[in-house]
Amino acid sequence: MSDEEKIEGSNGTRWWPLVVFIVIVSFSLGFLFFGPEENVRFTSEPTTGCVVMQDRGDYENSINIVFLGTEYKNLEQFREDSEKFMLSFLSVVPHNSYRDRFNFFRVENFGDYGCEYDDAVVCDPKLVQKSAVMCPGQDMNVVLVSRDKVNNFFKHLRSSAWHNLVSLNSVDDPLVLAHEWGHIGPDFADEYVFGGRINWDAPNCDSEYSTCPKFSVVDESECHVGCVNDKNSRSVFYGIMSNYWKSDRFGPYNEWYIEKFILEKTKATVGDIEEDGAPKEPPEKIYVVSGNCDVDGNCEIEEVQMSPVFGYATESKLIDSTLKINHGEHSISIPKQPILFKDYGDVGSMEFREYEFVVAIPVDKRDDKIILVENEIIKDFYLLEEELSGWSGYSKVLEIG
């Protein structure tokens, strides 16, 4: 072997440790950033408490919507999804004319909300509400289920509306939020036919199905047989309440009704809308009151949180009910028989279930009781115990009827 060959060989051998080091470092970095799914890390830390998406304040005279997430492994994905659904909701007629009457918030600490995944996503209103009290109002709580969860199902998983809760498949068409709001806000029925029954005065269905006099207040309205069943008619052939994949409008009559509903439940406010930061009003001491109702609408108080926590009172402007939780000067309505709308197929999309409720009510130290009343008749009663350290307990002293 020549001297030149010896020198070349020794130089090549000298580089090997550096090459091995580079390979090891590259593999380690690749595993850290692109490794197995269980090693996926949040791209940023969740913001504690209630995160403002759009806040004009005046929560009493606004419609307050709270987004929560479950099954997410990526915080940024939840932020993107909640933003996408909010913008879609605000683009729909007539919401787009009243954007300043809606507040949107987000809870970034993910929770287990007892969601069922059958033909539709159905989460537990009680578990959701306990987290939502971190944000003002809670007129409508929206749980987004991550695509990481729903993509594991072989068929399309539909969304649902129940009480003040919307449970959403996050890969569904964003217009699904407007559809579910139609159930929770203006109290609309589904406008497709599945053979169910309508046992309430659904504003968007007319039982005089051949002539539709209900819809005559709006000139552009139509009359089409089929609104839950073939004994009722709807005012538009295709609309958001029948098929949001084929139409991004509710239809003239429904839009007129929703606009009237918004104007009745909200007030215009002068001032800037904030898109980030803390809610404009600070939280206050609240009692978290839990209860349950059977399928016939018989309800009782089950629990009152032992010590007051800071949060926001539950608003009830979307609920017209004779059943209320009273404490001090505050009164919060509870629906007696909230319908679970499961929007899928032709096997029926409405269910009456036993359900548990949670409401947050501001602490009033002048009142030592929390009362459940119906038509001003006491149905259940809790006596709060005052100790030297403050209000820290309760005892159930009376059950009536």
Side-chain angles (χ1 to χ4, degrees), residues 2 10 13 26 29 32-33 70 91 100 124 176 205 242 248 253 260 277 308 318 334 357 373 381 401:
S2 67
S10 62
T13 303
S26 299
L29 291 174
L32 176 62
F33 292 105
T70 190
S91 71
D100 63 337
D124 186 333
V176 68
C205 297
S242 62
D248 61 357
Y253 171 81
K260 183 165 70 78
L318 304 186
I334 301 168
F357 64 83
V373 300
F381 183 97

Side-chain angles (χ1 to χ4, degrees), residues 270-283:
V270 178
D272 296 332
I273 294 178
E274 295 183 8
E275 296 183 352
D276 54 32
K280 291 183 179 178
E281 295 177 11

Side-chain angles (χ1 to χ4, degrees), residues 92 156 158 172-180 183 188-194 204 226-228 234-251 254-255 343-345:
V92 172
H156 178 71
R158 302 297 292 272
D172 206 339
D173 190 299
L175 287 170
V176 68
L177 180 57
H179 174 96
E180 304 300 354
H183 294 310
F188 285 169
D190 289 311
E191 292 182 355
Y192 46 82
V193 177
F194 57 87
N204 60 327
C227 193
V228 176
R234 63 191 185 276
S235 64
V236 60
F237 189 74
Y238 278 130
I240 287 175
M241 295 310 297
S242 62
N243 194 325
Y244 48 81
W245 291 289
K246 293 186 176 181
S247 176
D248 61 357
R249 298 288 296 269
F250 280 102
N254 289 347
E255 290 165 3
D343 295 308
Y344 66 93

Side-chain angles (χ1 to χ4, degrees), residues 87 116 126 139 165 184 247 252 257 300 343 356:
L87 294 176
E116 302 172 5
K126 180 178 179 180
D139 290 307
L165 170 63
I184 288 176
S247 176
Y257 189 91
E300 65 177 3
D343 295 308
E356 296 178 308

Side-chain angles (χ1 to χ4, degrees), residues 14-45:
R14 196 178 303 126
W15 282 101
W16 270 110
L18 179 60
V19 171
V20 171
F21 175 75
I22 293 173
V23 169
I24 293 173
V25 171
S26 299
F27 179 82
S28 300
L29 291 174
F31 185 84
L32 176 62
F33 292 105
F34 305 103
E37 190 175 20
E38 59 266 25
N39 288 315
V40 173
R41 302 183 179 186
F42 290 140
T43 53
S44 59
E45 291 298 319

